[in-house]
């Protein structure tokens, strides 16, 4: 029987609410797991220590009894209906379990044992344990706080050397929110360590697909790295997380549900077919995965039904992932080919039951809304508008949509009577073109500034020259693409010239007006199409830079610091994207 199942049975037998926390004393120090016994062999530590006295009421009235501390004869165990934590004094570790099974083994101080437990609070809603870790002549006090949910706070008295968290981790995810997440699996690498950018939130997907571990931490100088295990079939699995806490708290949450994440192998048989996955979502949420679109790793949220999508670079295609009731489907194509693995997971809720805690919920609960909001950046995820007049203007605000609206007027022979309507539609289109040109200029300035920053960084960090060169090559693609399409994009003066030529056709009715307008339509759309393409290309190149800065810096902690600056610049320019550059998980 699982440890936590034993906890449930004991709580039920005692008539306790299963949501309440319970603190146990194992009565003897734990050795090997086979010798642990279970709650039936342990002692529940009462929240009121006067209950341990012969005459509790009399003792509670006598201040001589006040301040008594509970003395553990064995090790401490804390549990609620969602998680259990077992303190193993001999090993100096804390074993965290979910409703399924063991999630992680936490070692706050390497090579230490737990010398002493102090109960700072023991109530039905919260348990706080202060553990004193001892090695050689050194002692470190670490406080562990438990509530009614899945979250555990680990708060050191002062700065600790690297804390180790060992568990059956199959994938580690550094979320982006604005930009694509970094997903780290079992790399084909000779490296023993992967250094990660510190983004205040980390998601570990555990083997089996039913559990995950969420980590959060406040802003500071924390450093995080993944230790890789021995090579297995040419790959090195993630063995442990090593975390330098900068003297601040770290929060862990063990989330559990059947199919809380899933791995799908995308083989060639998926090409141009509707394929139903064996995975079924355990609850409603914003389920997402990453696929390859035009050579760039792209995040796709599962839509609620089958549909199509139009994208600035690849054009129109069937949207590749969706849900139909409890079934998940893929439809992959040459534009989004079946390649490698599709990892399905969620970070945020979407019609998610209140009983289910999401990774973002964990972050908000632990870091607070003021710190979480800049990370989630809901403001930055809002699309900028192309609509000059809001809902009063042409609804499909683009060169194709506006020219189509004007075309209908010419084909109806109403170009003279509806001259004012055409004027307004042309103004809508000019606003759209100016917005596109302005957005492209933003990307060009971003590229120029980033190239200057990388050149400067290369001078002060010559040992990172290869890494910097790779990022510079990606960034340089933005001005290169612009130069190739510059002639096709024309200019704002050219757009205003087209306005004049279009309005000239509204002076009088003429049988040739429709044909003349259709020639202008081609010019409008040729210009607009080139601008659409460049906006989308700039966006995709920047997202690729954002990704590669994170992935390629993993071998060197110095590179990680530079990567964090590059990623910050990318995140800033990716905010409030244009509808034609948007990636489909928005």
């Amino acid at each position: 029987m699982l440890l936590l199942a034993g906890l449930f049975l004991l709580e039920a037998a005692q008539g306790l609410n299963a949501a309440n926390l319970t603190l146990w004393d194992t009565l003897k120090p734990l050795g090997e797991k086979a010798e642990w016994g279970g709650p039936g062999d342990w002692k529940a530590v009462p929240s009121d220590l006067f209950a341990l006295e012969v005459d509790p009421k009399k003792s509670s009235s006598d201040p001589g009894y006040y301040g008594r501390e509970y003395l553990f004869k064995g090790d401490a165990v804390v549990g609620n209906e969602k998680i259990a934590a077992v303190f193993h004094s001999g090993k100096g570790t804390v074993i965290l379990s979910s409703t399924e099974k063991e999630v992680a083994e936490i070692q706050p101080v390497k090579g230490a044992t737990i010398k002493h437990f102090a109960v700072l609070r023991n109530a039905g809603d919260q348990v706080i344990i202060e553990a004193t870790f001892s090695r050689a002549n050194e002692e470190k006090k670490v406080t562990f706080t438990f509530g009614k949910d899945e979250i555990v706070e680990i708060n050191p008295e002062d700065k600790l050397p690297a804390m180790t968290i060992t568990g059956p981790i199959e994938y580690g995810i550094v979320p982006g929110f604005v930009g694509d997440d970094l997903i780290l699996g079992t790399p084909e690498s000779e490296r023993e360590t992967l250094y990660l950018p510190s983004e205040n939130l980390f998601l570990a997907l555990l083997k089996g697909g039913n559990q995950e571990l969420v980590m959060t931490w406040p802003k500071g100088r924390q450093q995080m790295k993944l230790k890789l295990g021995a090579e297995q079939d040419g790959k090195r699995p993630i063995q442990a997380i090593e975390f330098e806490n900068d003297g601040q708290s770290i929060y862990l949450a063990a989330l559990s549900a059947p199919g809380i994440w899933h791995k799908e192998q995308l083989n060639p048989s998926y090409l141009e077919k509707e394929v139903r996955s064996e995975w079924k979502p355990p609850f409603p949420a914003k389920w997402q995965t990453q696929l390859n679109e035009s050579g760039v790793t792209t995040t796709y949220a599962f839509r609620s039904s089958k549909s199509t999508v139009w994208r600035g670079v690849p054009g129109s295609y069937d949207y590749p992932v969706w849900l139909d009731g409890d079934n998940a489907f893929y439809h992959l194509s040459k534009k989004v080919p079946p390649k490698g693995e599709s990892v399905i997971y969620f970070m945020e809720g979407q019609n998610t039951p209140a009983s289910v805690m999401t990774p973002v919920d964990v972050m908000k609960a632990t870091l607070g809304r003021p710190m979480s909001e800049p990370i989630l950046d809901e403001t930055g995820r809002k699309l900028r508008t192309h609509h000059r007049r809001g809902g009063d203007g042409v609804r499909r605000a683009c060169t194709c949509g506006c020219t189509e609206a004007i075309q209908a007027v010419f084909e109806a022979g109403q170009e003279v009577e509806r001259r004012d309507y055409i004027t307004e539609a042309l103004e809508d289109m000019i606003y759209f073109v100016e917005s596109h040109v302005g957005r492209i200029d933003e990307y060009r300035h971003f590229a120029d500034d980033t190239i200057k920053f990388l050149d400067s960084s290369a001078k002060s960090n010559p040992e990172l020259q290869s890494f910097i060169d790779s990022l510079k090559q990606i960034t340089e693609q933005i001005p290169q693409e612009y130069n190739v399409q510059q002639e096709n994009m024309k200019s704002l003066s050219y757009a205003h010239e087209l306005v004049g030529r279009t309005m000239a056709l509204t002076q009088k009715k003429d049988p040739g007006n429709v044909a003349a307008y259709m020639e202008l339509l081609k010019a409008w759309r040729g210009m607009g199409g080139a601008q659409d393409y460049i906006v989308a290309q700039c966006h995709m190149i920047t997202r690729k830079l954002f990704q590669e800065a994170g992935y390629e810096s993993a071998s060197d902690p110095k590179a990680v610091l530079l990567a964090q600056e590059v990623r910050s610049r990318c995140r800033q320019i990716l905010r409030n994207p244009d509808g034609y550059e948007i990636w489909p998980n928005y």
Side-chain angles (χ1 to χ4, degrees):
M1 182 180 294
L2 296 175
L3 169 65
L4 201 53
L7 297 178
F8 292 160
L9 291 175
L10 180 63
E11 289 176 333
Q14 294 176 332
L16 296 175
N17 184 330
N20 284 349
L21 279 165
T22 305
L23 170 64
W24 280 269
D25 180 350
T26 64
L27 299 179
K28 61 180 181 180
L30 298 175
E32 297 300 319
K33 286 185 181 180
E35 303 170 354
W36 284 8
D41 304 311
W42 305 338
K43 177 181 180 179
V45 180
S47 57
D48 183 358
L49 293 183
F50 291 124
L52 300 175
E53 301 297 336
V54 175
D55 190 341
K57 289 186 178 180
K58 181 179 179 180
S59 301
S60 66
S61 67
D62 186 343
Y65 286 89
Y66 289 9
R68 169 179 172 169
E69 294 189 6
Y70 182 82
L71 181 63
F72 282 84
K73 294 182 179 179
D75 285 323
V77 178
V78 183
N80 61 25
E81 65 173 343
K82 298 179 182 295
I83 61 167
V86 179
F87 291 79
H88 196 306
S89 59
K91 294 177 64 178
T93 62
V94 182
I95 299 169
L96 185 64
S97 300
S98 72
T99 55
E100 291 288 325
K101 57 183 178 180
E102 184 177 314
V103 170
E105 186 168 20
I106 306 156
Q107 187 177 39
V109 183
K110 289 183 180 179
T113 59
I114 301 176
K115 181 180 178 181
H116 178 71
F117 295 107
V119 181
L120 304 186
R121 178 176 170 83
N122 179 19
D125 63 336
Q126 189 180 57
V127 171
I128 305 176
I129 299 292
E130 181 187 74
T132 301
F133 290 83
S134 176
R135 66 177 183 186
N137 296 321
E138 180 184 30
E139 290 187 354
K140 297 282 187 180
K141 292 184 178 181
V142 182
T143 300
F144 296 81
T145 301
F146 304 85
K148 290 186 177 182
D149 53 26
E150 299 94 327
I151 301 171
V152 181
E153 178 183 1
I154 305 173
N155 184 12
E157 184 179 52
D158 53 27
K159 188 173 182 179
L160 294 176
M163 180 186 303
T164 302
I165 301 169
T166 306
I169 302 170
E170 191 159 355
Y171 294 94
I173 298 178
V174 178
F177 298 111
V178 174
D180 303 281
D181 300 345
L182 300 180
I183 301 180
L184 300 112
T186 52
E188 297 177 357
S189 172
E190 296 181 357
R191 304 170 184 166
E192 295 183 356
T193 304
L194 297 179
Y195 299 91
L196 304 184
S198 179
E199 305 283 2
N200 304 102
L201 174 62
F202 180 76
L203 178 63
L205 305 182
L206 307 186
K207 291 178 181 177
N210 298 329
Q211 296 171 292
E212 57 190 34
L213 182 68
V214 183
M215 292 177 57
T216 66
W217 56 93
K219 289 188 180 296
R221 297 182 179 180
Q222 297 90 340
Q223 292 187 357
M224 185 175 188
K225 53 190 175 183
L226 303 179
K227 300 297 290 184
L228 304 182
E231 184 177 314
Q232 298 176 13
D233 300 324
K235 296 184 177 181
R236 305 189 67 161
I238 299 170
Q239 190 174 59
I241 300 167
E242 287 195 354
F243 188 84
E244 296 181 15
N245 71 319
D246 193 34
Q248 301 190 71
S249 291
I250 177 176
Y251 302 87
L252 301 177
L255 307 185
S256 176
I260 199 167
W261 72 273
H262 174 70
K263 175 177 65 177
E264 186 102 6
Q265 188 66 42
L266 303 179
N267 57 59
S269 66
Y270 281 58
L271 184 63
E272 302 297 353
K273 290 181 182 177
E274 188 174 301
V275 179
R276 185 173 66 180
S277 171
E278 293 182 359
W279 172 78
K280 295 181 182 295
F283 45 76
K286 187 177 179 181
W287 297 100
Q288 62 189 50
T289 191
Q290 290 187 353
L291 302 169
N292 186 288
E293 182 199 54
S294 300
V296 179
T297 300
T298 301
T299 302
Y300 290 86
F302 278 76
R303 288 187 172 178
S304 58
S305 62
K306 186 177 181 180
S307 60
T308 59
V309 65
W310 189 91
R311 305 274 284 130
V313 175
S316 181
Y317 59 84
D318 289 324
Y319 193 80
V321 289
W322 71 94
L323 297 171
D324 184 357
D326 291 334
N327 295 309
F329 289 89
Y330 289 84
H331 190 289
L332 304 178
S333 62
K334 292 180 180 179
K335 294 179 179 180
V336 184
K339 184 178 180 181
E341 295 174 342
S342 164
V343 179
I344 303 173
Y345 61 99
F346 77 111
M347 297 297 301
E348 301 176 86
Q350 187 166 295
N351 300 318
T352 305
S355 59
V356 175
M357 178 168 276
T358 72
V360 165
D361 290 336
V362 173
M363 182 173 68
K364 290 179 179 178
T366 56
L367 303 186
R369 289 186 179 273
M371 183 176 173
S372 299
E373 286 172 359
I375 297 171
L376 295 171
D377 198 6
E378 296 288 358
T379 302
R381 287 194 269 175
K382 186 180 187 301
L383 294 180
R384 62 182 64 197
T385 183
H386 285 142
H387 295 79
R388 179 178 69 96
R389 294 179 289 160
D392 292 334
V394 175
R395 299 301 297 275
R396 189 166 166 238
C398 57
T399 49
C400 291
C402 290
T403 53
E404 186 177 79
I406 296 170
Q407 178 184 346
V409 177
F410 274 93
E411 288 179 339
Q414 298 177 337
E415 62 269 24
V416 175
E417 296 91 332
R418 301 191 65 188
R419 189 172 189 271
D420 290 344
Y421 173 85
I422 293 175
T423 299
E424 292 287 0
L426 288 169
E427 287 298 317
D428 288 345
M429 189 154 51
I430 285 292
Y431 183 85
F432 173 83
V433 170
E434 289 175 343
S435 298
H436 254 25
V437 171
R439 183 59 170 154
I440 292 168
D441 285 343
E442 288 179 17
Y443 274 112
R444 292 173 64 203
H445 291 313
F446 157 78
D448 290 344
D449 290 344
T450 302
I451 290 169
K452 290 176 184 176
F453 167 74
L454 292 172
D455 286 339
S456 174
S457 299
K459 293 177 182 178
S460 55
N461 299 276
E463 70 279 11
L464 299 178
Q465 186 69 55
S466 177
F467 170 63
I468 292 172
D469 285 346
S470 67
L471 299 185
K472 186 177 175 181
Q473 274 189 335
I474 297 172
T475 312
E476 287 173 338
Q477 292 175 27
I478 290 177
Q480 290 168 3
E481 289 285 352
Y482 176 84
N483 292 335
V484 168
Q485 290 291 331
Q486 188 172 10
E487 175 60 29
N488 295 329
M489 287 189 293
K490 305 301 181 182
S491 64
L492 289 177
S493 60
Y494 177 78
H496 285 286
E497 178 188 333
L498 292 180
V499 169
R501 291 167 62 187
T502 304
M503 289 305 300
L505 298 177
T506 66
Q507 297 299 318
K508 64 177 181 178
K509 290 188 178 182
D510 188 302
N513 279 353
V514 173
Y517 173 73
M518 294 306 291
E519 288 301 314
L520 291 172
L521 178 147
K522 292 178 183 177
W524 277 114
R525 293 187 178 182
M527 175 185 64
Q531 293 170 356
D532 294 345
Y533 176 82
I534 288 301
V535 167
Q537 277 285 23
C538 289
H539 182 85
M540 293 179 72
I541 292 166
T542 304
R543 282 177 37 233
K544 185 175 182 179
L545 177 63
F546 181 75
Q547 295 168 21
E548 292 304 309
Y551 286 124
E552 295 302 318
S553 65
S555 61
D556 189 332
K558 290 184 179 180
V560 169
L561 294 176
L562 190 146
Q564 287 181 171
E565 172 60 26
V566 171
R567 284 167 60 83
S568 176
R569 289 166 176 259
C570 291
R571 188 181 291 110
Q572 187 61 35
I573 190 64
L574 289 172
R575 297 180 80 250
N576 303 121
D578 180 294
Y580 282 77
E581 61 188 276
I582 195 65
W583 59 100
N585 70 316
Y586 267 69

